[in-house]
Amino acid sequence: MFEEFMGIPAHPLLLHAAVVFVPLLALLTIGYAFVALIRPHTRWVLGLLALAAPVSALLAKLSGDAFFERLRSANRVTPEFLPKLEAHQEFGDITLWATIGLAIVALALVRFVPPRAVATSTTDGESTTAGTGRALTLSLQVLSLVAAGVVLYYVFRTGDSGAKAVWEGQ
């Protein structure tokens, strides 16, 4: 199913969606977490990217697995080249899981961090819910930075290992 499209291996076609959507998710998650001014304008975009990026990473992974099996079953992979492809496959697996984690953080940001600054205070001047909200926002900001950094690192490593595998040949 994920092997080819109109006679062309599907993996080179599908991976471009992941190459676009996953880094966009990482950058917009960081922007949403730290720049309150853009939150009202990017809330739905971030939510949609949090759904599209993991799907695109999954499609890239599934098509890559099918492509790898096709090459292996046709004996088009030399034993010296096999470790490079397996390393690329492992990076792709990690990228998928990291993207899912980032998507969860992004959806938590959309759900729990208000698009506009909300000033809540009690009658005696203390703000109890604002303190809880600030702690949650701060936690999600830290998580978004870490998750986005991990995703961007693995997108780069996956792409780099795949490009080297293609251009260095068998």
Side-chain angles (χ1 to χ4, degrees), residues 30-164:
I30 292 170
Y32 189 93
F34 289 97
V35 184
L37 189 61
I38 69 168
R39 287 180 191 152
H41 308 289
T42 59
R43 186 178 185 92
W44 284 104
V45 176
L46 182 58
L48 291 174
L49 270 175
L51 300 175
V55 170
S56 67
L58 177 64
L59 291 175
K61 182 213 176 320
L62 293 175
S63 65
D65 290 346
F67 189 41
F68 182 53
E69 284 306 313
R70 178 181 174 186
L71 291 175
R72 185 187 294 177
S73 66
N75 289 326
R76 295 189 60 198
V77 179
T78 60
E80 307 85 46
F81 193 64
L82 193 60
K84 290 181 183 181
L85 291 178
E86 288 172 342
H88 175 64
Q89 191 175 30
E90 288 176 23
F91 286 136
D93 292 344
I94 295 170
T95 301
L96 172 62
W97 289 110
T99 302
I100 291 169
L102 178 62
I104 291 169
V105 171
L107 290 172
L109 280 167
V110 168
R111 171 65 178 94
F112 296 113
V113 176
R116 297 189 195 329
V118 179
T120 56
S121 61
T122 59
T123 53
D124 58 355
E126 294 181 26
S127 62
T128 54
T129 58
T132 306
R134 280 192 211 117
L136 180 61
T137 300
L138 181 61
S139 299
L140 289 172
Q141 286 174 327
V142 170
L143 279 174
S144 68
L145 268 180
V146 171
V150 169
V151 163
L152 290 173
Y153 173 78
Y154 278 104
V155 165
F156 176 80
R157 289 295 307 263
T158 305
D160 184 55
S161 66
K164 284 180 179 174

